[in-house]
């Protein structure tokens, strides 16, 4: 197991390198750059700036500079936000994204597992059909549709929750999000994953409940509760566990949209702006960060998988 | 029914149905039998004959829906199992009636250590503490002949071979010293040498504990050496019911005779193995009359028209056939002529297999072609 983890960690390095290289190439290949605005700078000024940032250097010099930055995980100053380094922006925006992302993740896991299990245990009941119909709706509805609908209902009609933005509250020296601002984004983001997890759980549980060893457990005289929780759940949630890895990658993409819809000062929002502004350092910094997070999380999922299923050995 | 103190289990007119898209399948249709304490009952029949469903019905383990126990009663130790609450039934499962299943590769939970799976049952039924249950698990594994039991008790099922896993299943089933052990094809999924070991083990443990056993199998060779009584099932019904020796000596049902002839006999000069022609009937659309008629060598016009009677051909020997008496008489005659002119083959278990009348053989060959 230990050597597996080491091996996987070593694989992460070239993976990040590839991701960054592709992102860098795409930025270069796309027409225009940060200074190609409509109004245009005086040629002399632009020439000075290009020289300052090394934009006219040969591609391999620029690429080498990027590799040096990647090695120390410091991408320097943002071009758009002149007085801030990429790392400062990450530090400031990341907590917002993490709060939204993790809340959504937990909501999706808890409710998805619950509804999926109930649906499987009450197969073909009204409860099963209604929760699966809701799941189908959740999967089909993109979050940029669901978000505004929730805003319309809960913020602009019922006035229960704010329609957007973010607020930190200080509790004993620790900054926590104002939960009122967290609820709608988290629900919007979680809907799709909740639906997926519910369906995966239902399918997984239905399959496991038909297994011979469940019959054995019943023949032992265990109660239905013990059969489900002790014997069935472990095997039933394996598909969910394998899904949690890719889910995180989708979740990151989802944050980008949801933060836009709710105007949150999170990583995703800056990511979009960076792309629109051709803010290469910021864009590459965020890309590198997300790549590392997704890869590390996939590793964690594999470890969890081996822990749940003893037949798996790496 | 007569409820002698000796009777452990009595099944009366049991019927289990499954609702499917093609209609209602009568997987078990009016099965009755009795089992005395300390006895072993063999239930034989082809796949889909209702052997397993009968026994799952006894334990009320039929998945409902689509299954449904449509009628009959199961009296265990004077107690009507179908009158019990789920809670009361659970206290009987595993504690007083235990079950071993066909495929040991899939019948153990792959995510749980052997020790935990064994401890679960004694903690549940006998109220053992963790350490008591653990010690008991180790001693049960020793009892079923797992070498180095203490070191291996914490393994996962996938670390054991098939035969070992079946031993674990047996250890689990016998953990609470049940009064009745139902073994549902315990050796079918195992290779031949292991089969013999497992059967020997069940026999041995039965002698030690005095447990009654119901042994389900499609292998007549397996039941021959182990059982006191045999039930032959076909299409959810009992086709023949007799003491083991009587059944092998003089089968009174063409289906039983067919089964006996289809047991491989290595000493046979004939190259081809006999098989009963055709396939078991579709239980959703059973024909009028005898369900075996279409495959039966003895069938006559009446068989397709009228349902056969359950005839008592001799004391404690019943057969579901229009010609039960005649088939019985033929079997007896065949046996007598065999004893008069002993054959060269020494197949002690299955004396009937070698001797077939010429007409039967030619008919069988015709069907095989």
């Amino acid at each position: 197991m230990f050597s597996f983890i080491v091996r996987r960690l070593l694989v992460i390095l070239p993976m990040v390198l590839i991701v960054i290289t592709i992102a860098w190439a795409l930025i270069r290949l796309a027409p225009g750059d940060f200074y190609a605005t409509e109004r245009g700078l005086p040629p002399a000024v632009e020439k000075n700036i290009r020289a300052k940032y090394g934009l006219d250097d040969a591609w391999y010099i620029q690429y080498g500079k990027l590799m040096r930055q990647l090695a120390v995980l410091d991408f320097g100053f943002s071009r758009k936000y002149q007085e801030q380094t990429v790392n400062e922006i990450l530090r400031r925006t990341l907590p917002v994204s993490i709060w939204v992302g993790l809340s959504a993740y937990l909501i999706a896991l808890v409710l998805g597992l619950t509804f999926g299990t109930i649906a499987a245990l009450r197969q073909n009941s009204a409860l099963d059909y209604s929760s699966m119909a809701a799941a189908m709706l959740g999967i089909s509805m993109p979050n940029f549709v669901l978000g505004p609908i929730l805003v319309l209902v809960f913020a602009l009609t019922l006035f229960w929750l704010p329609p957007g933005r973010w607020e930190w509250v200080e509790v004993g020296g620790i900054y926590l999000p104002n939960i009122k601002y967290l609820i709608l984004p988290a629900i919007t983001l979680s809907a799709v994953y909740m639906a997926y997890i519910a369906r995966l759980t239902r399918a997984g549980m239905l399959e496991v409940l038909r297994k011979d060893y469940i019959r054995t457990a019943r023949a032992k005289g265990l109660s239905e509760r013990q059969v489900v929780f002790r014997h069935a759940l472990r095997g039933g949630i394996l598909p969910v566990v394998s899904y949690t890895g890719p889910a995180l990658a989708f979740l990151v993409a989802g944050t980008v949209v949801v933060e836009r819809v709710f105007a949150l000062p999170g990583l995703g929002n800056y990511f979009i702006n960076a792309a629109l502004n051709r803010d290469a350092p910021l864009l590459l910094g965020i890309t590198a960060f997300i790549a590392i997070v997704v890869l590390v999380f996939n590793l964690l999922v594999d470890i969890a998988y081996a822990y749940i299923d003893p037949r798996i050995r790496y | 029914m007569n409820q002698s103190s000796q009777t452990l289990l009595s099944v009366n007119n049991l019927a289990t149905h499954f609702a499917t898209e093609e209609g209602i399948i009568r997987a078990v249709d009016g099965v009755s039998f009795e089992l005395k304490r300390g006895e072993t009952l063999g239930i034989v029949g082809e796949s889909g004959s209702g052997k397993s469903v009968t026994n799952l019905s006894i334990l009320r383990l039929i998945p409902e829906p689509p299954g449904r126990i449509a009628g009959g009663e199961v009296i265990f130790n004077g107690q009507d199992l179908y009158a019990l609450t789920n809670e009361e039934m659970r206290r009987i499962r595993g504690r007083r009636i235990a079950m071993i299943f066909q495929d040991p590769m899939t019948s153990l939970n792959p995510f749980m250590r052997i020790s935990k799976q064994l401890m679960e049952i004694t903690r549940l039924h006998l109220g053992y503490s963790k350490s008591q249950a653990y010690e008991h698990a180790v001693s049960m594994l020793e009892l079923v002949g797992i070498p180095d039991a203490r070191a291996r008790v914490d393994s996962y099922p996938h670390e054991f071979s098939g035969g070992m896993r079946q031993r674990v299943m047996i250890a689990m089933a016998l953990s609470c010293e049940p009064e009745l052990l139902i073994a549902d094809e315990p050796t079918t999924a195992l290779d031949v040498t292991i089969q013999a070991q497992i059967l020997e083990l069940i026999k041995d443990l039965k002698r030690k504990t005095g447990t009654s056993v119901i042994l389900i199998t499609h292998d007549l060779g397996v039941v021959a050496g182990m059982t006191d009584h045999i039930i032959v099932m076909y299409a959810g019904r009992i086709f023949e019911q007799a003491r083991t020796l009587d059944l092998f000596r003089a089968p009174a049902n063409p289906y039983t005779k067919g089964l006996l002839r289809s047991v491989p006999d290595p000493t046979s000069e004939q190259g081809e193995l006999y098989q009963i022609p055709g396939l078991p009937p579709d239980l959703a659309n059973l024909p009028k009359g005898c369900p075996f008629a279409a495959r039966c060598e003895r069938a006559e016009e009446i068989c397709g028209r009228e349902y056969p009677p359950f005839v008592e051909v001799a004391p404690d020997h019943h057969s579901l056939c229009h010609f039960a008496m005649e088939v019985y008489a033929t079997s007896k005659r065949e046996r007598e002529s065999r004893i008069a002119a002993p054959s060269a083959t020494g197949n002690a278990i299955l004396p009937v297999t070698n001797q077939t009348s010429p007409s039967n053989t030619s008919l069988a060959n015709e069907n095989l072609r």
Side-chain angles (χ1 to χ4, degrees), chain A residues 208 211-224 226 230-232 234-236 238 307-313, chain B residues 56 59 61 90 93-95 97 99 101-103 106-112 116-118 120-121 124-125 156 158 169 172:
Chain A
V208 167
K211 295 261 186 198
D212 287 348
Y213 65 83
I214 297 301
R215 191 180 54 189
T216 308
R218 292 212 173 98
K220 275 171 158 182
L222 296 173
S223 70
E224 206 49 34
Q226 289 166 319
R230 249 190 248 168
H231 286 270
R234 217 170 222 240
L238 274 182
Y307 176 76
I308 292 176
D309 190 345
R311 286 168 300 184
I312 296 197
R313 283 288 160 264
Chain B
L56 288 172
L59 271 179
L61 283 175
R90 276 203 293 275
R93 283 185 207 132
R95 170 76 186 88
I97 306 178
M99 202 154 175
F101 295 101
Q102 175 173 353
D103 192 350
T106 57
S107 292
L108 289 167
N109 189 337
F111 305 115
M112 214 186 252
K116 227 179 141 191
Q117 300 194 46
L118 283 169
E120 200 173 44
I121 192 163
L124 178 75
H125 291 300
Y156 284 100
H158 69 271
M169 282 297 292
M172 198 154 80

Side-chain angles (χ1 to χ4, degrees), chain A residues 7-134:
Chain A
R7 257 182 297 139
R8 282 289 300 266
L9 282 173
L10 287 176
V11 173
I12 288 181
L13 288 177
M15 294 281 270
V16 173
L17 206 67
I18 291 168
V19 169
I20 285 297
T21 305
I22 292 174
W24 173 78
L26 284 175
I27 295 169
R28 274 185 69 89
L29 289 173
D33 58 35
F34 180 62
Y35 304 101
T37 60
E38 270 176 34
R39 267 179 291 167
L41 295 165
V45 175
E46 192 184 333
K47 196 167 168 244
N48 275 339
I49 293 176
R50 293 187 80 88
K52 179 187 169 194
Y53 290 118
L55 293 182
D56 293 325
D57 293 344
W59 66 268
Y60 49 85
I61 293 179
Q62 292 192 40
Y63 186 71
K65 189 173 154 203
L66 176 70
M67 288 302 112
R68 273 198 305 282
Q69 290 176 329
L70 184 62
V72 294
L73 289 178
D74 180 0
F75 293 87
F77 283 92
S78 156
R79 291 215 181 116
K80 171 80 178 173
Y81 311 99
Q82 283 282 331
E83 70 290 358
Q84 296 174 48
T85 65
V86 171
N87 283 347
E88 277 167 2
I89 293 176
L90 277 177
R91 251 197 302 282
R92 191 165 35 103
T93 59
L94 196 58
V96 176
S97 300
I98 287 179
W99 270 103
V100 175
L102 279 189
S103 316
Y105 211 56
L106 283 180
I107 294 172
L109 267 180
V110 171
L111 294 184
L113 284 174
T114 311
F115 282 117
T117 309
I118 292 173
L121 294 180
R122 303 259 175 284
Q123 195 192 356
N124 299 333
S125 68
L127 198 65
D128 178 21
Y129 287 135
S130 51
S131 50
M132 283 309 112

Side-chain angles (χ1 to χ4, degrees), chain B residues 91-164:
Chain B
R91 280 200 286 272
I92 287 184
R93 283 185 207 132
R95 170 76 186 88
R96 302 179 65 189
I97 306 178
M99 202 154 175
I100 306 170
F101 295 101
Q102 175 173 353
D103 192 350
M105 309 306 270
T106 57
S107 292
L108 289 167
N109 189 337
F111 305 115
M112 214 186 252
R113 291 180 196 280
I114 302 281
S115 53
K116 227 179 141 191
Q117 300 194 46
L118 283 169
M119 287 159 70
E120 200 173 44
I121 192 163
T122 50
R123 297 197 67 188
L124 178 75
H125 291 300
L126 306 179
Y128 279 10
S129 71
K130 246 188 180 150
S131 55
Q132 267 178 313
Y134 191 83
E135 288 309 313
H136 189 258
V138 173
S139 64
M140 283 312 292
L141 287 189
E142 278 164 358
L143 184 70
V144 297
I146 291 196
D148 216 1
R150 188 166 294 277
R152 309 195 63 175
V153 66
D154 284 323
S155 312
Y156 284 100
H158 69 271
E159 295 168 280
F160 278 23
S161 68
M164 293 287 234

Side-chain angles (χ1 to χ4, degrees), chain A residues 233-311:
Chain A
L233 200 58
R234 217 170 222 240
I237 62 168
L238 274 182
V240 177
V241 174
S242 3
Y243 174 68
T244 48
L248 187 89
F250 298 132
L251 200 72
V252 169
T255 336
V256 173
V257 178
V258 168
E259 283 175 12
R260 198 74 174 173
V261 169
F262 290 93
L264 305 181
L267 195 63
N269 226 340
Y270 276 81
F271 196 44
I272 296 183
N273 286 337
L276 294 177
N277 295 329
R278 302 286 155 82
D279 191 343
L282 186 55
L283 203 52
L284 291 172
I286 296 177
T287 306
F289 179 78
I290 290 175
I292 291 169
V293 169
V294 169
L295 288 168
V296 167
F297 203 81
N298 272 324
L299 172 62
L300 291 179
V301 166
D302 284 345
I303 293 171
Y305 212 87
Y307 176 76
I308 292 176
D309 190 345
R311 286 168 300 184

